[in-house]
Short mmCIF file of all heavy atoms in Angstrom, two decimals:
data_model
loop_
_atom_site.label_atom_id
_atom_site.label_comp_id
_atom_site.label_asym_id
_atom_site.label_seq_id
_atom_site.Cartn_x
_atom_site.Cartn_y
_atom_site.Cartn_z
N ARG M 298 5.25 22.13 -44.67
CA ARG M 298 4.84 21.17 -43.65
C ARG M 298 3.39 21.49 -43.29
O ARG M 298 2.99 22.60 -43.01
CB ARG M 298 5.65 21.27 -42.35
CG ARG M 298 5.31 20.18 -41.34
CD ARG M 298 6.44 20.07 -40.31
NE ARG M 298 6.20 19.09 -39.33
CZ ARG M 298 7.03 18.72 -38.38
NH1 ARG M 298 8.21 19.35 -38.22
NH2 ARG M 298 6.73 17.81 -37.52
N ALA M 299 2.53 20.40 -43.39
CA ALA M 299 1.10 20.63 -43.13
C ALA M 299 0.83 20.73 -41.67
O ALA M 299 1.51 20.10 -40.85
CB ALA M 299 0.34 19.46 -43.76
N ASP M 300 -0.22 21.42 -41.32
CA ASP M 300 -0.67 21.48 -39.93
C ASP M 300 -1.12 20.12 -39.47
O ASP M 300 -1.62 19.32 -40.27
CB ASP M 300 -1.82 22.47 -39.76
CG ASP M 300 -1.37 23.92 -40.04
OD1 ASP M 300 -0.19 24.20 -39.99
OD2 ASP M 300 -2.24 24.72 -40.40
N GLU M 301 -0.97 19.82 -38.19
CA GLU M 301 -1.37 18.51 -37.62
C GLU M 301 -2.50 18.73 -36.59
O GLU M 301 -2.49 19.70 -35.86
CB GLU M 301 -0.15 17.89 -36.95
CG GLU M 301 1.04 17.65 -37.85
CD GLU M 301 2.20 17.08 -37.18
OE1 GLU M 301 2.11 16.70 -35.97
OE2 GLU M 301 3.30 17.05 -37.79
N MET M 302 -3.42 17.82 -36.59
CA MET M 302 -4.56 17.91 -35.69
C MET M 302 -5.06 16.52 -35.33
O MET M 302 -5.12 15.61 -36.20
CB MET M 302 -5.67 18.75 -36.35
CG MET M 302 -6.85 18.96 -35.46
SD MET M 302 -7.95 20.23 -36.11
CE MET M 302 -8.20 19.69 -37.78
N ASN M 303 -5.41 16.37 -34.08
CA ASN M 303 -5.97 15.08 -33.63
C ASN M 303 -7.11 15.36 -32.64
O ASN M 303 -6.97 16.20 -31.76
CB ASN M 303 -4.85 14.26 -32.97
CG ASN M 303 -5.46 12.90 -32.38
OD1 ASN M 303 -6.02 12.13 -33.13
ND2 ASN M 303 -5.31 12.71 -31.09
N VAL M 304 -8.21 14.67 -32.85
CA VAL M 304 -9.40 14.85 -32.03
C VAL M 304 -9.76 13.54 -31.39
O VAL M 304 -9.96 12.51 -32.10
CB VAL M 304 -10.59 15.46 -32.80
CG1 VAL M 304 -11.81 15.59 -31.87
CG2 VAL M 304 -10.28 16.76 -33.44
N SER M 305 -9.90 13.50 -30.09
CA SER M 305 -10.40 12.32 -29.37
C SER M 305 -11.37 12.86 -28.30
O SER M 305 -11.56 14.08 -28.16
CB SER M 305 -9.26 11.53 -28.73
OG SER M 305 -8.52 12.41 -27.78
N GLY M 306 -11.95 11.97 -27.60
CA GLY M 306 -12.97 12.44 -26.64
C GLY M 306 -13.42 11.50 -25.64
O GLY M 306 -13.03 10.30 -25.61
N THR M 307 -14.24 12.00 -24.74
CA THR M 307 -14.83 11.27 -23.65
C THR M 307 -16.28 11.61 -23.43
O THR M 307 -16.62 12.81 -23.56
CB THR M 307 -14.00 11.50 -22.31
OG1 THR M 307 -12.66 11.21 -22.57
CG2 THR M 307 -14.55 10.63 -21.22
N ILE M 308 -17.12 10.66 -23.12
CA ILE M 308 -18.48 10.99 -22.67
C ILE M 308 -18.47 10.76 -21.12
O ILE M 308 -18.26 9.64 -20.66
CB ILE M 308 -19.52 10.08 -23.31
CG1 ILE M 308 -19.56 10.27 -24.81
CG2 ILE M 308 -20.91 10.36 -22.72
CD1 ILE M 308 -20.59 9.44 -25.52
N LEU M 309 -18.61 11.84 -20.40
CA LEU M 309 -18.65 11.83 -18.95
C LEU M 309 -20.10 11.72 -18.48
O LEU M 309 -21.01 12.35 -19.11
CB LEU M 309 -18.01 13.03 -18.36
CG LEU M 309 -16.53 13.29 -18.71
CD1 LEU M 309 -16.04 14.60 -18.29
CD2 LEU M 309 -15.66 12.15 -18.09
N CYS M 310 -20.38 10.96 -17.44
CA CYS M 310 -21.73 10.80 -16.96
C CYS M 310 -21.72 11.06 -15.46
O CYS M 310 -20.85 10.58 -14.71
CB CYS M 310 -22.22 9.38 -17.20
SG CYS M 310 -23.83 9.00 -16.54
N LYS M 311 -22.68 11.81 -15.00
CA LYS M 311 -22.86 12.05 -13.58
C LYS M 311 -24.35 11.78 -13.25
O LYS M 311 -25.24 12.51 -13.66
CB LYS M 311 -22.51 13.51 -13.19
CG LYS M 311 -22.60 13.75 -11.70
CD LYS M 311 -22.17 15.19 -11.34
CE LYS M 311 -22.22 15.38 -9.83
NZ LYS M 311 -21.76 16.74 -9.45
N ALA M 312 -24.57 10.69 -12.61
CA ALA M 312 -25.94 10.19 -12.30
C ALA M 312 -26.25 10.43 -10.84
O ALA M 312 -25.62 9.76 -9.95
CB ALA M 312 -26.07 8.74 -12.66
N GLU M 313 -27.16 11.34 -10.55
CA GLU M 313 -27.65 11.59 -9.22
C GLU M 313 -29.00 10.86 -8.99
O GLU M 313 -30.02 11.41 -9.22
CB GLU M 313 -27.74 13.09 -8.92
CG GLU M 313 -26.40 13.82 -9.10
CD GLU M 313 -26.54 15.30 -8.90
OE1 GLU M 313 -27.67 15.84 -9.22
OE2 GLU M 313 -25.62 15.96 -8.54
N LEU M 314 -28.84 9.59 -8.64
CA LEU M 314 -30.00 8.68 -8.54
C LEU M 314 -30.04 8.08 -7.17
O LEU M 314 -29.00 7.66 -6.60
CB LEU M 314 -29.91 7.59 -9.59
CG LEU M 314 -29.85 8.06 -11.08
CD1 LEU M 314 -29.65 6.85 -11.98
CD2 LEU M 314 -31.15 8.76 -11.48
N GLU M 315 -31.23 7.95 -6.62
CA GLU M 315 -31.41 7.35 -5.29
C GLU M 315 -31.30 5.85 -5.40
O GLU M 315 -31.74 5.24 -6.41
CB GLU M 315 -32.75 7.77 -4.67
CG GLU M 315 -32.81 9.28 -4.38
CD GLU M 315 -34.05 9.66 -3.69
OE1 GLU M 315 -34.98 8.83 -3.60
OE2 GLU M 315 -34.16 10.82 -3.21
N GLY M 316 -30.74 5.22 -4.38
CA GLY M 316 -30.63 3.78 -4.41
C GLY M 316 -29.64 3.29 -5.40
O GLY M 316 -28.74 3.97 -5.82
N VAL M 317 -29.77 2.02 -5.78
CA VAL M 317 -28.92 1.39 -6.77
C VAL M 317 -29.76 1.24 -8.06
O VAL M 317 -30.48 0.27 -8.18
CB VAL M 317 -28.42 0.02 -6.31
CG1 VAL M 317 -27.44 -0.57 -7.36
CG2 VAL M 317 -27.68 0.15 -4.99
N SER M 318 -29.66 2.22 -8.94
CA SER M 318 -30.53 2.23 -10.11
C SER M 318 -29.80 1.68 -11.32
O SER M 318 -28.56 1.72 -11.37
CB SER M 318 -30.98 3.69 -10.36
OG SER M 318 -31.69 4.20 -9.31
N GLU M 319 -30.56 1.24 -12.27
CA GLU M 319 -30.06 0.75 -13.56
C GLU M 319 -30.46 1.68 -14.67
O GLU M 319 -31.63 2.12 -14.72
CB GLU M 319 -30.54 -0.68 -13.82
CG GLU M 319 -29.91 -1.31 -15.04
CD GLU M 319 -30.30 -2.77 -15.19
OE1 GLU M 319 -31.44 -3.01 -15.80
OE2 GLU M 319 -29.59 -3.66 -14.72
N VAL M 320 -29.55 2.03 -15.52
CA VAL M 320 -29.82 2.92 -16.65
C VAL M 320 -29.60 2.19 -17.95
O VAL M 320 -28.57 1.54 -18.17
CB VAL M 320 -28.88 4.16 -16.57
CG1 VAL M 320 -29.20 5.13 -17.75
CG2 VAL M 320 -29.04 4.86 -15.23
N THR M 321 -30.55 2.35 -18.88
CA THR M 321 -30.37 1.81 -20.23
C THR M 321 -30.60 2.91 -21.24
O THR M 321 -31.41 3.78 -21.01
CB THR M 321 -31.41 0.64 -20.52
OG1 THR M 321 -32.70 1.16 -20.34
CG2 THR M 321 -31.16 -0.53 -19.62
N GLY M 322 -29.87 2.89 -22.31
CA GLY M 322 -29.98 3.94 -23.34
C GLY M 322 -29.22 3.58 -24.53
O GLY M 322 -28.90 2.43 -24.78
N SER M 323 -28.87 4.60 -25.33
CA SER M 323 -28.21 4.37 -26.60
C SER M 323 -27.15 5.46 -26.88
O SER M 323 -27.33 6.61 -26.57
CB SER M 323 -29.18 4.41 -27.77
OG SER M 323 -30.17 3.31 -27.64
N ILE M 324 -26.06 5.00 -27.44
CA ILE M 324 -25.03 5.94 -28.03
C ILE M 324 -25.25 5.92 -29.51
O ILE M 324 -25.29 4.89 -30.15
CB ILE M 324 -23.62 5.45 -27.67
CG1 ILE M 324 -23.38 5.51 -26.14
CG2 ILE M 324 -22.61 6.32 -28.35
CD1 ILE M 324 -22.05 4.98 -25.66
N VAL M 325 -25.44 7.12 -30.08
CA VAL M 325 -25.78 7.29 -31.46
C VAL M 325 -24.58 7.68 -32.30
O VAL M 325 -23.95 8.69 -31.97
CB VAL M 325 -26.92 8.29 -31.64
CG1 VAL M 325 -27.35 8.36 -33.09
CG2 VAL M 325 -28.11 7.90 -30.77
N LEU M 326 -24.26 6.97 -33.35
CA LEU M 326 -23.24 7.30 -34.35
C LEU M 326 -23.90 7.42 -35.69
O LEU M 326 -24.22 6.38 -36.29
CB LEU M 326 -22.13 6.25 -34.34
CG LEU M 326 -21.35 6.03 -33.06
CD1 LEU M 326 -20.38 4.87 -33.27
CD2 LEU M 326 -20.66 7.31 -32.63
N PRO M 327 -24.20 8.62 -36.12
CA PRO M 327 -24.91 8.82 -37.43
C PRO M 327 -24.15 8.05 -38.56
O PRO M 327 -22.94 8.09 -38.65
CB PRO M 327 -24.92 10.28 -37.64
CG PRO M 327 -24.79 10.90 -36.27
CD PRO M 327 -23.93 9.89 -35.51
N THR M 328 -24.97 7.40 -39.47
CA THR M 328 -24.39 6.71 -40.59
C THR M 328 -23.85 7.71 -41.64
O THR M 328 -22.96 7.44 -42.36
CB THR M 328 -25.44 5.84 -41.27
OG1 THR M 328 -26.66 6.62 -41.55
CG2 THR M 328 -25.89 4.71 -40.33
N LYS M 329 -24.43 8.94 -41.67
CA LYS M 329 -23.95 10.03 -42.55
C LYS M 329 -23.63 11.22 -41.73
O LYS M 329 -24.49 12.10 -41.45
CB LYS M 329 -25.00 10.31 -43.63
CG LYS M 329 -25.29 9.20 -44.59
CD LYS M 329 -26.30 9.64 -45.59
CE LYS M 329 -26.63 8.50 -46.59
NZ LYS M 329 -27.56 8.92 -47.63
N PRO M 330 -22.38 11.36 -41.27
CA PRO M 330 -21.99 12.46 -40.44
C PRO M 330 -22.17 13.80 -41.12
O PRO M 330 -22.10 13.93 -42.33
CB PRO M 330 -20.49 12.23 -40.15
CG PRO M 330 -20.29 10.73 -40.35
CD PRO M 330 -21.29 10.40 -41.50
N SER M 331 -22.43 14.78 -40.33
CA SER M 331 -22.58 16.15 -40.88
C SER M 331 -21.31 16.67 -41.54
O SER M 331 -20.20 16.23 -41.12
CB SER M 331 -23.05 17.15 -39.77
OG SER M 331 -24.18 16.67 -39.12
N LEU M 332 -21.49 17.62 -42.51
CA LEU M 332 -20.34 18.07 -43.20
C LEU M 332 -19.39 18.87 -42.21
O LEU M 332 -19.89 19.67 -41.46
CB LEU M 332 -20.80 19.05 -44.30
CG LEU M 332 -19.71 19.61 -45.22
CD1 LEU M 332 -19.02 18.52 -46.01
CD2 LEU M 332 -20.26 20.69 -46.12
N GLY M 333 -18.14 18.54 -42.26
CA GLY M 333 -17.15 19.25 -41.40
C GLY M 333 -17.06 18.60 -40.01
O GLY M 333 -16.27 19.10 -39.18
N LYS M 334 -17.77 17.55 -39.75
CA LYS M 334 -17.73 16.95 -38.42
C LYS M 334 -16.79 15.66 -38.52
O LYS M 334 -16.66 15.06 -39.58
CB LYS M 334 -19.11 16.50 -37.97
CG LYS M 334 -20.02 17.66 -37.65
CD LYS M 334 -19.59 18.40 -36.35
CE LYS M 334 -20.62 19.44 -35.95
NZ LYS M 334 -20.26 20.09 -34.68
N GLY M 335 -16.25 15.29 -37.35
CA GLY M 335 -15.37 14.11 -37.35
C GLY M 335 -16.19 12.82 -37.23
O GLY M 335 -17.28 12.82 -36.70
N VAL M 336 -15.60 11.76 -37.72
CA VAL M 336 -16.21 10.45 -37.69
C VAL M 336 -15.59 9.63 -36.60
O VAL M 336 -14.32 9.47 -36.56
CB VAL M 336 -16.07 9.73 -39.01
CG1 VAL M 336 -16.69 8.35 -38.99
CG2 VAL M 336 -16.70 10.58 -40.16
N VAL M 337 -16.35 9.01 -35.68
CA VAL M 337 -15.81 8.20 -34.65
C VAL M 337 -15.36 6.93 -35.24
O VAL M 337 -16.15 6.16 -35.88
CB VAL M 337 -16.91 7.98 -33.52
CG1 VAL M 337 -16.35 6.97 -32.47
CG2 VAL M 337 -17.23 9.27 -32.86
N THR M 338 -14.11 6.57 -35.02
CA THR M 338 -13.58 5.34 -35.61
C THR M 338 -13.57 4.16 -34.64
O THR M 338 -13.69 3.02 -35.02
CB THR M 338 -12.11 5.57 -36.10
OG1 THR M 338 -11.33 6.11 -35.00
CG2 THR M 338 -12.07 6.56 -37.26
#
Side-chain angles (χ1 to χ4, degrees):
R298 189 164 181 178
D300 297 337
E301 300 175 12
M302 182 168 52
N303 177 57
V304 178
S305 59
T307 305
I308 297 181
L309 300 170
C310 175
K311 184 175 182 180
E313 296 175 335
L314 302 173
E315 295 183 350
V317 183
S318 300
E319 186 175 84
V320 180
T321 58
S323 300
I324 296 177
V325 184
L326 298 177
T328 54
K329 295 182 179 180
S331 304
L332 184 64
K334 294 288 187 177
V336 178
V337 175
T338 55

